Amino acid sequence: MATSRGNTKVIVVGGGGTIGSSTALHLLRSGYTPSNITVLDIYPIPSAQSAGNDLNKIMGIRLRNKVDLQLSLGARDMWKHDPLFKNFFHNTGRLDCESTDDGIKSLRKQYQALLDAGAGLEKTNEWLETEEQILAKMPLLKRENIQGWKAIFSQDGGWLAAAKAINSIGIELKKKGVNFGFGDAGSFKRPLFASDGTTCIGVETVNGVRYHADKVVLAAGAWSPALVDLEEQCCSKAWVYAHMRLTPEEVAEYKKSPVVYNGDVGFFFEPDEYGVIKVCDEFPGFTRFKRHQPYGADAPKRVSVPRSHSKHPTDTYPDASEKSIRRAIEIYLPRFKNKELFNRALCWCADTADAALLVCEHPMWKNFIVASGDSGHTFKLLPNIGKHVVELIEGTLADDLAHAWRWRPGIGDPVKSRRAARAKDLADMPGWKHDSDEAKL
Ligand SMILES: Cc1cc2nc3c(=O)[nH]c(=O)nc-3n(C[C@H](O)[C@H](O)[C@H](O)COP(=O)(O)OP(=O)(O)OC[C@H]3O[C@@H](n4cnc5c(N)ncnc54)[C@H](O)[C@@H]3O)c2cc1C
């Protein structure tokens, strides 16, 4: 029988997360038969260990590489207009600040790139040269804490109610009759192959169940390089956040504040409906290198293996993170510096060397598609990234995307990626007490 959308079976591993849930959604929207789509994950949608299972994420148009513009504009339209997503976009604006010489230089370049993009972004983005101009956009900052800062204010930006948006995809998938496997029945163990040894025909999960399909998409985020050998193209790293709660009077003041970001400090969001503000610092991430043998590797090797916060809910973060998050609060929200912090957590992403996604067919395993390498900035693409994964499945992915997202071992160092420095390992971080019984690698 000829394959068509109606009769092609697809398994999405990591379908409870960002790229995976988007892929399952776009399979449905493209006309794949719901009962031919199988979503596997350790946790139900929104997966408790997805990087996207979070109070909020920043939405903005950023042009780090050529394909970013097209993707972020596509995402912006869907966040604004698609019925499934529009309630989760809080278009408060985004204030991108810099205070160091290098930071300001790079911010000016970003601004020029926005002007040069030919997409009307000069109408929605504004360069702020003075403290007065910055305070006009965000009067709750303290003038003495923003001396010398420059900024871009973007009307396109704001924040995304992240977990709620993934949840809405989950509801849609369930309503339409997609198959699910969660827990051990959804946890990827290995790919299954036809007798030729190279054509993937499904996956086996941890409980030994074998699911068969024409195409398998591995969208396991930061867990991907620990599950299959990605030849050091992705390095899993953790970033951190903490929360504080405001009183109703404080909430009234901070409501509708833009997202404030500074590459040397971190970022924060307006309070949610329960008065909770999330604060993040900004740093090159933490690795967690172990000796580990992903499927497809000949022998154990050094792999940065995420440690799931949902499996270890009492984990916190290193002392340095407490210091830098407290610093961000002192700079942005000094009146709240004595507020109690709660839900301090690590959140795991997969960096590539060039910060572009890794979305391609495995070069040796036909029909096995890797959709990972989020590089810490992929949540905003939740509405549209899956559309491009479906295009890849169908062989219609545009050449520029296929090139940017190709299998590309050896192009650089994903431990540094395009960040300011190489990531430090959790084993070297005082205050990280959750691996104390294991040898440092
Ligand atoms: C602190 C922090 C702040 C961030 N802020 C932003 C932001 O402001 N804007 C933005 O755009 N992006 C942001 N990001 C990045 C964004 O969250 C990620 O790029 C994106 O969520 C990654 O999506 P993913 O699908 O690759 O991985 P995930 O969403 O993590 O999904 C991976 C899925 O794989 C599943 N899985 C793992 N192992 C298995 C297995 N063995 N079997 C089956 N399933 C498995 C997991 O349970 C999970 O559901 C931030 C990230 C962090 C950590």
Side-chain angles (χ1 to χ4, degrees):
M1 189 172 54
T3 52
S4 70
R5 288 177 171 177
N7 63 20
T8 301
K9 292 189 174 174
V10 186
I11 293 170
V12 184
V13 177
T18 309
I19 300 179
S21 63
S22 180
T23 300
L25 177 70
H26 282 279
L27 287 166
L28 264 185
R29 287 187 170 182
S30 308
Y32 286 71
T33 306
S35 57
N36 284 341
I37 304 168
T38 302
V39 161
L40 301 179
D41 206 299
I42 299 174
Y43 295 97
I45 303 183
S47 164
Q49 68 174 27
S50 157
N53 188 337
D54 198 355
L55 200 58
N56 40 36
K57 299 285 187 200
I58 305 175
M59 174 58 199
I61 311 284
R62 278 292 160 268
L63 312 176
R64 280 170 228 245
N65 52 49
K66 281 189 196 145
V67 298
D68 277 0
L69 176 65
Q70 171 195 353
L71 291 169
S72 358
L73 292 177
R76 181 187 64 177
D77 283 352
M78 290 184 74
W79 283 115
K80 279 188 164 172
H81 305 298
D82 190 297
L84 197 67
F85 294 106
K86 65 180 187 187
N87 292 339
F88 307 112
F89 178 29
H90 298 258
N91 195 185
T92 53
R94 168 178 175 168
L95 190 59
D96 258 312
C97 310
E98 289 294 344
S99 37
T100 63
D101 288 348
D102 284 351
I104 292 171
K105 215 161 118 192
S106 138
L107 195 69
R108 281 191 201 282
K109 265 198 197 155
Q110 280 180 46
Y111 184 60
Q112 196 56 48
L114 292 167
L115 300 186
D116 295 343
L121 296 172
E122 66 285 356
K123 295 193 199 99
T124 52
N125 288 272
E126 194 181 333
W127 178 260
L128 308 179
E129 180 66 24
T130 65
E131 289 146 25
E132 283 72 25
Q133 288 173 317
I134 296 175
L135 288 169
K137 299 293 181 198
M138 180 49 183
L140 294 162
L141 290 172
K142 273 205 162 274
R143 178 183 291 269
E144 58 266 37
N145 290 352
I146 61 160
Q147 282 179 15
W149 288 25
K150 312 283 176 207
I152 301 171
F153 181 76
S154 170
Q155 288 169 30
D156 294 311
W159 62 275
L160 308 163
K164 288 180 183 172
I166 298 183
N167 188 48
S168 81
I169 297 182
I171 292 170
E172 177 74 1
L173 300 180
K174 278 177 213 151
K175 200 167 80 192
K176 294 280 162 60
V178 165
N179 300 312
F180 295 98
F182 298 126
D184 285 353
S187 302
F188 174 92
K189 188 173 166 203
R190 65 181 183 104
L192 300 171
F193 292 100
S195 52
D196 64 5
T198 59
T199 304
C200 179
I201 53 164
V203 303
E204 183 176 330
T205 48
V206 165
N207 66 348
V209 171
R210 293 173 168 215
Y211 296 86
H212 290 92
D214 304 297
K215 303 277 178 182
V216 170
V217 178
L218 180 78
W223 281 264
S224 308
L227 295 176
V228 299
D229 185 11
L230 295 182
E231 299 177 7
E232 287 68 64
Q233 293 176 93
C234 292
C235 177
S236 299
K237 298 174 197 170
W239 280 270
V240 305
Y241 53 68
H243 299 81
M244 63 167 78
R245 193 182 301 278
L246 307 196
T247 64
E249 296 72 35
E250 292 163 345
V251 170
E253 267 189 85
Y254 277 82
K255 214 63 208 151
K256 304 281 175 228
S257 297
V259 178
V260 181
Y261 177 95
N262 180 320
D264 188 46
V265 180
F267 48 103
F268 77 99
F269 301 78
E270 69 163 330
D272 75 349
E273 66 266 41
Y274 306 106
V276 174
I277 284 189
K278 183 179 92 175
V279 183
C280 295
D281 59 356
E282 192 52 291
F283 72 110
F286 296 128
T287 54
R288 183 171 171 269
F289 276 104
K290 303 282 162 202
R291 273 219 103 56
H292 177 80
Q293 187 167 2
Y295 185 87
D298 295 336
K301 55 180 181 172
R302 266 182 104 241
V303 178
S304 176
V305 180
R307 182 173 151 105
S308 159
H309 187 70
S310 33
K311 279 192 189 140
H312 305 280
T314 56
D315 279 11
T316 57
Y317 50 43
D319 296 342
S321 303
E322 182 71 6
K323 224 169 130 186
S324 49
I325 284 192
R326 289 276 177 203
R327 174 176 173 257
I329 294 168
E330 289 206 7
I331 293 173
Y332 289 142
L333 306 156
R335 61 196 274 198
F336 301 141
K337 66 179 186 200
N338 295 323
K339 287 243 184 223
E340 190 191 335
L341 293 182
F342 62 94
N343 189 11
R344 298 166 164 92
L346 298 184
C347 166
W348 290 88
C349 295
D351 267 6
T352 58
D354 57 6
L357 289 160
L358 180 69
V359 178
C360 56
E361 188 172 42
H362 190 286
M364 263 109 64
W365 305 342
K366 193 169 175 324
N367 296 332
F368 186 90
I369 284 141
V370 176
S372 184
D374 67 282
S375 299
H377 53 83
T378 301
F379 188 81
K380 60 178 163 299
L381 303 183
L382 176 76
N384 61 339
I385 184 63
K387 174 172 171 283
H388 301 297
V389 179
V390 174
E391 288 165 356
L392 175 74
I393 288 174
E394 299 184 343
T396 58
L397 185 65
D399 289 346
D400 55 347
L401 295 181
H403 179 74
W405 298 347
R406 72 201 182 281
W407 191 264
R408 50 191 191 282
I411 60 146
D413 177 11
V415 184
K416 173 153 188 312
S417 185
R418 290 167 74 180
R419 303 187 187 276
R422 296 187 99 227
K424 292 183 180 167
D425 199 83
L426 280 169
D428 296 325
M429 300 307 298
W432 174 254
K433 352 180 213 322
H434 310 294
D435 285 312
S436 50
D437 52 335
E438 294 173 50
K440 187 185 142 194
L441 286 168

